[in-house]
Amino acid sequence: MARCEEGYRCDVCGQDVEHLWESDLYLRYVLGQVEAETLHTTRERHIRCNPTLAQFIVDPDFAPVTVEGPFDKRQLDPSFVRQQERLVTRAWRRLRELAHREGVSLLDYPLPEVRARASGR
């Protein structure tokens, strides 16, 4: 874990994760895969350093990621892949949006359906 003045370093490549939209940790938080209470103790990495998740981002502003082997989305059920592409792409776009907004509570970062699940609605 990095000291505050250092920022966050990628656990895979060792480089700084400079922007919110590059953060695998925050992408997984927006998706509901990481709890707010564990953000400060969970290791960080670039989204591209987690290709198994990154391959599901389909956006002109995100260069495609290809995975070889059993987790390659081309080897998975097409309906699952479409669902994951929609979900993960929405989450990545949410990160881009949040990076340019001020005053948004950390608790409001997750996608609406994730927030609804967390509040029991």
Side-chain angles (χ1 to χ4, degrees):
M1 189 58 53
R3 293 190 312 255
C4 290
E5 67 273 10
E6 291 180 343
Y8 293 99
R9 296 222 184 252
C10 178
D11 196 42
V12 175
C13 73
Q15 299 297 310
D16 286 338
V17 179
E18 295 182 22
H19 303 285
L20 185 62
W21 63 84
E22 297 175 324
S23 171
D24 173 73
L25 175 60
Y26 279 89
L27 178 64
R28 291 182 298 121
Y29 175 62
V30 168
L31 287 165
Q33 298 174 357
V34 174
E35 298 292 327
E37 297 80 19
T38 62
L39 281 171
H40 69 288
T41 60
T42 305
R43 294 188 181 265
E44 175 65 290
R45 61 186 159 200
H46 294 99
I47 292 171
R48 294 187 160 289
C49 290
N50 181 3
T52 303
L53 184 60
Q55 70 180 333
F56 292 108
I57 299 172
V58 181
D59 187 280
D61 292 328
F62 190 87
V65 172
T66 303
V67 173
E68 299 296 330
F71 296 106
D72 180 343
K73 73 179 185 178
R74 297 169 295 184
Q75 306 299 321
L76 302 175
D77 176 69
S79 64
F80 171 79
V81 169
R82 282 190 303 278
Q83 182 262 340
Q84 286 299 110
E85 286 176 343
R86 283 192 298 271
L87 180 65
V88 178
T89 300
R90 281 181 51 231
W92 182 76
R93 289 175 178 158
R94 175 83 175 135
L95 284 181
R96 300 260 330 206
E97 170 193 325
L98 290 166
H100 300 290
R101 292 179 58 198
E102 292 184 24
V104 178
S105 166
L106 182 66
L107 298 176
D108 291 330
Y109 279 29
L111 293 172
E113 63 266 34
V114 173
R115 291 193 313 265
R117 277 195 311 266
S119 68
R121 285 187 258 160

